[in-house]
Amino acid sequence: MIKQYFLILAVIICSILPNPVKAQIEKVISIQSTPEGALIYEKANRNSFLGKTPLDYNFSFHSEKSMKKITLEACGYYDTTIVIDPGMTSLNVEIQKKPLLFTVDSQGDVLTERDVGEVRLFTSTLMEAMIGEMQGLPVNIMDYIMVKKTGDTININIGFTTEPENIGIRMTEKTDSVIAFIWNNWFKGKVCGAAFTGIEHPEGFKVYLSMVSSSEKLAIKHIPGVDVRDVKNTNIYQTVTPRYIYTTIETYFYTESDATFNYSLEKDKSYYEFVYTLNPNNLLTCKNTGYLFIRNSELIKSYGSNITDGFLFRRIIKDE
């Protein structure tokens, strides 16, 4: 009798407990992108990584009206977030490419028009080659390229960002191990040799590659010490047909930058920066390396101080 009583009680309890919510609709959606190889994340699900484009993925929706947000990330392009629903079968996302912005360090010598033209030609060629090779990696280029002239030498620093967890190595390990890991995984073999030819005086360029890792993704808008303004542009297009006039209005923001450095960090943040000096004679290796760790606008640790011209964040901390 007692067993029967407990059995009835268990049935009653199970009947009144809420049933777990289950997905009602399973839908395979084909996702393509331009360029291919973009990383796809579902941000609402703890930034879950779904795969790379092109991708056929089985999404779970609770109803016909359910929606999900996914974000596509590609090196050299802005992150793009789109909304999907069960009514979709496929989509092709064209990701907006980042403009190649130059920030000239005001502490250096003045660059001539010829200098600027050579730097733009060289950097554009180099970046096109690197971005093509780096698709599908959890790495993105920063919004700007730092240029500084000292005498006859022009220092060019190209910055990339990644999340700390992507490095996969504890910072307590030897600095050399971390520096080698980043170079071998994300830079080695990604540099195009053709970028070092066809320029009259390439030997006058010093090229640095930086990998910056922090608790947040960094962009030029987020780097304290750089004066940035966004300019709103509006383009209006009209197409005239015998019956209708179609009007298209395109609005976008373009970032302009002035190199005005205040040598202080405005927020309590920590930044790791790993710097590599390219060797034009052997693009599979780098001449020198460096490493900075900055916390609360103070330089906590450094390595390879002989190439301080290559550090992006050296310019926004107070030198002792």
Side-chain angles (χ1 to χ4, degrees):
M1 184 66 181
I2 296 178
K3 291 183 179 180
Q4 185 178 3
Y5 170 78
F6 280 109
L7 180 60
I8 295 173
L9 181 62
V11 172
I12 294 174
I13 293 175
C14 291
S15 64
I16 63 175
L17 286 177
N19 293 324
V21 179
K22 296 182 179 180
Q24 301 298 315
I25 300 173
E26 299 286 332
K27 184 64 177 291
V28 175
I29 300 178
S30 176
I31 306 172
Q32 300 183 52
S33 70
T34 304
E36 289 188 355
L39 308 178
I40 306 175
Y41 295 90
E42 185 178 351
K43 296 297 183 179
N45 188 16
R46 297 183 180 180
N47 203 24
S48 175
F49 175 62
L50 306 183
K52 304 177 184 179
T53 60
L55 176 69
D56 293 332
Y57 192 83
N58 186 25
F59 290 93
S60 299
F61 298 93
H62 294 301
S63 69
E64 293 286 351
K65 297 182 179 180
S66 295
M67 296 183 295
K68 291 180 179 290
K69 288 184 179 181
I70 60 173
T71 300
L72 280 70
E73 300 180 3
C75 186
Y77 295 79
Y78 288 114
D79 294 352
T80 302
T81 299
I82 58 177
V83 177
I84 60 174
D85 59 60
M88 294 180 174
T89 57
S90 65
L91 65 155
N92 193 337
V93 184
E94 185 170 349
I95 309 175
Q96 183 183 1
K97 196 169 187 178
K98 288 186 177 182
L100 195 63
L101 300 179
F102 289 87
T103 301
V104 180
D105 194 330
S106 56
Q107 291 188 344
D109 296 334
V110 177
L111 272 73
T112 65
E113 290 187 9
R114 181 178 179 178
D115 292 334
V116 173
E118 290 184 344
V119 170
R120 285 188 180 276
L121 173 63
F122 170 86
T123 310
S124 298
T125 306
L126 179 63
M127 288 312 305
E128 285 297 321
M130 289 195 67
I131 288 175
E133 292 291 330
M134 299 180 81
Q135 292 307 318
L137 301 177
V139 171
N140 208 339
I141 186 175
M142 297 182 74
D143 293 34
Y144 73 103
I145 294 172
M146 176 67 68
V147 181
K148 179 181 180 181
K149 184 175 182 179
T150 306
D152 295 329
T153 302
I154 296 178
N155 299 313
I156 304 171
N157 191 311
I158 304 170
F160 295 83
T161 61
T162 190
E163 296 299 321
E165 58 266 24
N166 292 331
I167 295 177
I169 297 180
R170 296 180 180 177
M171 302 307 299
T172 54
E173 291 194 19
K174 292 182 179 179
T175 301
D176 288 336
S177 299
V178 182
I179 288 177
F181 174 87
I182 294 173
W183 173 263
N184 292 332
N185 280 270
W186 292 321
F187 289 138
K188 186 177 181 179
K190 306 297 189 300
V191 185
C192 179
F196 283 87
T197 62
I199 301 176
E200 188 173 349
H201 298 294
E203 67 276 3
F205 292 167
K206 282 188 176 180
V207 184
Y208 306 93
L209 301 178
S210 284
M211 180 62 72
V212 181
S213 178
S214 72
S215 58
E216 295 179 351
K217 289 187 176 180
L218 296 176
I220 190 171
K221 300 180 183 66
H222 307 142
I223 298 179
V226 182
D227 183 21
V228 176
R229 58 184 180 273
D230 283 341
V231 178
K232 183 179 181 180
N233 294 315
T234 301
N235 296 330
I236 301 177
Y237 307 96
Q238 282 192 341
T239 303
V240 180
T241 69
R243 298 184 61 185
Y244 302 101
I245 297 178
Y246 297 95
T247 301
T248 302
I249 300 177
E250 178 187 60
T251 302
Y252 61 95
F253 289 87
Y254 185 82
T255 301
E256 295 185 356
S257 169
D258 292 329
T260 305
F261 294 91
N262 61 20
Y263 291 90
S264 64
L265 289 174
E266 298 172 356
K267 297 180 180 180
D268 295 337
K269 297 295 182 183
S270 297
Y271 300 96
Y272 299 94
E273 181 180 355
F274 305 87
V275 182
Y276 305 87
T277 310
L278 290 187
N279 181 357
N281 298 319
N282 184 359
L283 297 178
L284 294 179
T285 62
C286 49
K287 284 185 176 180
N288 299 296
T289 57
Y291 159 71
L292 283 180
F293 173 43
I294 301 170
R295 177 190 292 152
N296 300 343
S297 77
E298 294 184 4
L299 179 61
I300 304 300
K301 182 179 179 182
S302 65
Y303 172 88
S305 58
N306 59 320
I307 57 168
T308 53
D309 282 339
F311 289 108
L312 288 169
F313 287 95
R314 167 70 79 175
R315 296 171 177 79
I316 59 173
I317 62 172
K318 297 178 180 179
D319 291 322
E320 298 295 335

PDB file of all heavy atoms in Angstrom, residues 231-245:
ATOM      1  N   VAL A 231      32.335  60.717 -39.413  1.00  0.00           N
ATOM      2  CA  VAL A 231      31.659  61.607 -40.347  1.00  0.00           C
ATOM      3  C   VAL A 231      30.527  60.839 -41.015  1.00  0.00           C
ATOM      4  O   VAL A 231      30.737  59.749 -41.557  1.00  0.00           O
ATOM      5  CB  VAL A 231      32.640  62.141 -41.416  1.00  0.00           C
ATOM      6  CG1 VAL A 231      31.912  63.037 -42.407  1.00  0.00           C
ATOM      7  CG2 VAL A 231      33.773  62.905 -40.742  1.00  0.00           C
ATOM      8  N   LYS A 232      29.332  61.417 -40.976  1.00  0.00           N
ATOM      9  CA  LYS A 232      28.173  60.778 -41.587  1.00  0.00           C
ATOM     10  C   LYS A 232      28.078  61.193 -43.053  1.00  0.00           C
ATOM     11  O   LYS A 232      28.037  62.380 -43.371  1.00  0.00           O
ATOM     12  CB  LYS A 232      26.904  61.164 -40.844  1.00  0.00           C
ATOM     13  CG  LYS A 232      25.644  60.475 -41.364  1.00  0.00           C
ATOM     14  CD  LYS A 232      24.427  60.888 -40.551  1.00  0.00           C
ATOM     15  CE  LYS A 232      23.158  60.189 -41.046  1.00  0.00           C
ATOM     16  NZ  LYS A 232      21.984  60.584 -40.251  1.00  0.00           N
ATOM     17  N   ASN A 233      28.039  60.215 -43.941  1.00  0.00           N
ATOM     18  CA  ASN A 233      27.913  60.462 -45.368  1.00  0.00           C
ATOM     19  C   ASN A 233      26.592  59.896 -45.873  1.00  0.00           C
ATOM     20  O   ASN A 233      26.167  58.823 -45.447  1.00  0.00           O
ATOM     21  CB  ASN A 233      29.066  59.814 -46.138  1.00  0.00           C
ATOM     22  CG  ASN A 233      30.400  60.452 -45.802  1.00  0.00           C
ATOM     23  OD1 ASN A 233      30.509  61.666 -45.741  1.00  0.00           O
ATOM     24  ND2 ASN A 233      31.402  59.629 -45.564  1.00  0.00           N
ATOM     25  N   THR A 234      25.961  60.600 -46.774  1.00  0.00           N
ATOM     26  CA  THR A 234      24.706  60.151 -47.370  1.00  0.00           C
ATOM     27  C   THR A 234      24.793  60.269 -48.891  1.00  0.00           C
ATOM     28  O   THR A 234      25.089  61.349 -49.407  1.00  0.00           O
ATOM     29  CB  THR A 234      23.514  60.975 -46.861  1.00  0.00           C
ATOM     30  OG1 THR A 234      23.441  60.864 -45.439  1.00  0.00           O
ATOM     31  CG2 THR A 234      22.210  60.479 -47.466  1.00  0.00           C
ATOM     32  N   ASN A 235      24.553  59.173 -49.585  1.00  0.00           N
ATOM     33  CA  ASN A 235      24.517  59.162 -51.041  1.00  0.00           C
ATOM     34  C   ASN A 235      23.090  58.863 -51.494  1.00  0.00           C
ATOM     35  O   ASN A 235      22.433  57.975 -50.960  1.00  0.00           O
ATOM     36  CB  ASN A 235      25.465  58.105 -51.615  1.00  0.00           C
ATOM     37  CG  ASN A 235      26.914  58.424 -51.282  1.00  0.00           C
ATOM     38  OD1 ASN A 235      27.290  59.587 -51.154  1.00  0.00           O
ATOM     39  ND2 ASN A 235      27.734  57.393 -51.133  1.00  0.00           N
ATOM     40  N   ILE A 236      22.622  59.627 -52.462  1.00  0.00           N
ATOM     41  CA  ILE A 236      21.270  59.438 -53.003  1.00  0.00           C
ATOM     42  C   ILE A 236      21.379  59.080 -54.486  1.00  0.00           C
ATOM     43  O   ILE A 236      22.025  59.794 -55.259  1.00  0.00           O
ATOM     44  CB  ILE A 236      20.418  60.705 -52.828  1.00  0.00           C
ATOM     45  CG1 ILE A 236      20.306  61.067 -51.326  1.00  0.00           C
ATOM     46  CG2 ILE A 236      19.024  60.510 -53.426  1.00  0.00           C
ATOM     47  CD1 ILE A 236      19.535  62.347 -51.078  1.00  0.00           C
ATOM     48  N   TYR A 237      20.780  57.961 -54.861  1.00  0.00           N
ATOM     49  CA  TYR A 237      20.805  57.500 -56.242  1.00  0.00           C
ATOM     50  C   TYR A 237      19.372  57.447 -56.773  1.00  0.00           C
ATOM     51  O   TYR A 237      18.436  57.084 -56.052  1.00  0.00           O
ATOM     52  CB  TYR A 237      21.429  56.107 -56.345  1.00  0.00           C
ATOM     53  CG  TYR A 237      22.782  55.990 -55.690  1.00  0.00           C
ATOM     54  CD1 TYR A 237      22.899  55.497 -54.387  1.00  0.00           C
ATOM     55  CD2 TYR A 237      23.941  56.376 -56.352  1.00  0.00           C
ATOM     56  CE1 TYR A 237      24.130  55.376 -53.775  1.00  0.00           C
ATOM     57  CE2 TYR A 237      25.188  56.262 -55.743  1.00  0.00           C
ATOM     58  CZ  TYR A 237      25.272  55.762 -54.456  1.00  0.00           C
ATOM     59  OH  TYR A 237      26.497  55.656 -53.858  1.00  0.00           O
ATOM     60  N   GLN A 238      19.204  57.807 -58.057  1.00  0.00           N
ATOM     61  CA  GLN A 238      17.895  57.733 -58.692  1.00  0.00           C
ATOM     62  C   GLN A 238      17.980  56.969 -60.005  1.00  0.00           C
ATOM     63  O   GLN A 238      18.908  57.175 -60.787  1.00  0.00           O
ATOM     64  CB  GLN A 238      17.327  59.137 -58.959  1.00  0.00           C
ATOM     65  CG  GLN A 238      16.752  59.808 -57.729  1.00  0.00           C
ATOM     66  CD  GLN A 238      15.950  61.050 -58.075  1.00  0.00           C
ATOM     67  OE1 GLN A 238      16.097  61.609 -59.147  1.00  0.00           O
ATOM     68  NE2 GLN A 238      15.087  61.468 -57.151  1.00  0.00           N
ATOM     69  N   THR A 239      17.022  56.076 -60.199  1.00  0.00           N
ATOM     70  CA  THR A 239      16.901  55.340 -61.457  1.00  0.00           C
ATOM     71  C   THR A 239      15.549  55.661 -62.068  1.00  0.00           C
ATOM     72  O   THR A 239      14.507  55.434 -61.439  1.00  0.00           O
ATOM     73  CB  THR A 239      17.029  53.825 -61.223  1.00  0.00           C
ATOM     74  OG1 THR A 239      18.283  53.559 -60.585  1.00  0.00           O
ATOM     75  CG2 THR A 239      16.960  53.071 -62.546  1.00  0.00           C
ATOM     76  N   VAL A 240      15.561  56.217 -63.286  1.00  0.00           N
ATOM     77  CA  VAL A 240      14.333  56.667 -63.930  1.00  0.00           C
ATOM     78  C   VAL A 240      13.898  55.639 -64.971  1.00  0.00           C
ATOM     79  O   VAL A 240      14.678  55.236 -65.829  1.00  0.00           O
ATOM     80  CB  VAL A 240      14.533  58.042 -64.597  1.00  0.00           C
ATOM     81  CG1 VAL A 240      13.235  58.503 -65.258  1.00  0.00           C
ATOM     82  CG2 VAL A 240      15.016  59.068 -63.576  1.00  0.00           C
ATOM     83  N   THR A 241      12.651  55.204 -64.867  1.00  0.00           N
ATOM     84  CA  THR A 241      12.048  54.315 -65.856  1.00  0.00           C
ATOM     85  C   THR A 241      10.824  55.021 -66.450  1.00  0.00           C
ATOM     86  O   THR A 241      10.394  56.073 -65.934  1.00  0.00           O
ATOM     87  CB  THR A 241      11.622  52.989 -65.206  1.00  0.00           C
ATOM     88  OG1 THR A 241      10.512  53.235 -64.335  1.00  0.00           O
ATOM     89  CG2 THR A 241      12.762  52.372 -64.416  1.00  0.00           C
ATOM     90  N   PRO A 242      10.257  54.499 -67.525  1.00  0.00           N
ATOM     91  CA  PRO A 242       9.073  55.159 -68.104  1.00  0.00           C
ATOM     92  C   PRO A 242       7.920  55.322 -67.134  1.00  0.00           C
ATOM     93  O   PRO A 242       7.101  56.222 -67.280  1.00  0.00           O
ATOM     94  CB  PRO A 242       8.698  54.217 -69.265  1.00  0.00           C
ATOM     95  CG  PRO A 242       9.992  53.572 -69.650  1.00  0.00           C
ATOM     96  CD  PRO A 242      10.736  53.396 -68.363  1.00  0.00           C
ATOM     97  N   ARG A 243       7.820  54.474 -66.126  1.00  0.00           N
ATOM     98  CA  ARG A 243       6.669  54.527 -65.218  1.00  0.00           C
ATOM     99  C   ARG A 243       7.023  54.986 -63.805  1.00  0.00           C
ATOM    100  O   ARG A 243       6.175  55.534 -63.094  1.00  0.00           O
ATOM    101  CB  ARG A 243       6.000  53.154 -65.143  1.00  0.00           C
ATOM    102  CG  ARG A 243       5.438  52.668 -66.476  1.00  0.00           C
ATOM    103  CD  ARG A 243       4.706  51.359 -66.298  1.00  0.00           C
ATOM    104  NE  ARG A 243       3.566  51.500 -65.374  1.00  0.00           N
ATOM    105  CZ  ARG A 243       2.829  50.476 -64.975  1.00  0.00           C
ATOM    106  NH1 ARG A 243       3.117  49.247 -65.389  1.00  0.00           N
ATOM    107  NH2 ARG A 243       1.812  50.665 -64.156  1.00  0.00           N
ATOM    108  N   TYR A 244       8.272  54.734 -63.368  1.00  0.00           N
ATOM    109  CA  TYR A 244       8.617  55.015 -61.978  1.00  0.00           C
ATOM    110  C   TYR A 244       9.983  55.699 -61.890  1.00  0.00           C
ATOM    111  O   TYR A 244      10.796  55.633 -62.816  1.00  0.00           O
ATOM    112  CB  TYR A 244       8.656  53.729 -61.134  1.00  0.00           C
ATOM    113  CG  TYR A 244       7.366  52.958 -61.120  1.00  0.00           C
ATOM    114  CD1 TYR A 244       7.203  51.836 -61.909  1.00  0.00           C
ATOM    115  CD2 TYR A 244       6.304  53.360 -60.295  1.00  0.00           C
ATOM    116  CE1 TYR A 244       6.016  51.117 -61.895  1.00  0.00           C
ATOM    117  CE2 TYR A 244       5.122  52.655 -60.275  1.00  0.00           C
ATOM    118  CZ  TYR A 244       4.978  51.536 -61.078  1.00  0.00           C
ATOM    119  OH  TYR A 244       3.815  50.840 -61.070  1.00  0.00           O
ATOM    120  N   ILE A 245      10.202  56.322 -60.751  1.00  0.00           N
ATOM    121  CA  ILE A 245      11.523  56.839 -60.379  1.00  0.00           C
ATOM    122  C   ILE A 245      11.906  56.162 -59.065  1.00  0.00           C
ATOM    123  O   ILE A 245      11.235  56.340 -58.041  1.00  0.00           O
ATOM    124  CB  ILE A 245      11.515  58.368 -60.205  1.00  0.00           C
ATOM    125  CG1 ILE A 245      11.168  59.055 -61.525  1.00  0.00           C
ATOM    126  CG2 ILE A 245      12.882  58.847 -59.706  1.00  0.00           C
ATOM    127  CD1 ILE A 245      11.089  60.565 -61.409  1.00  0.00           C
TER     128      ILE A 245
END
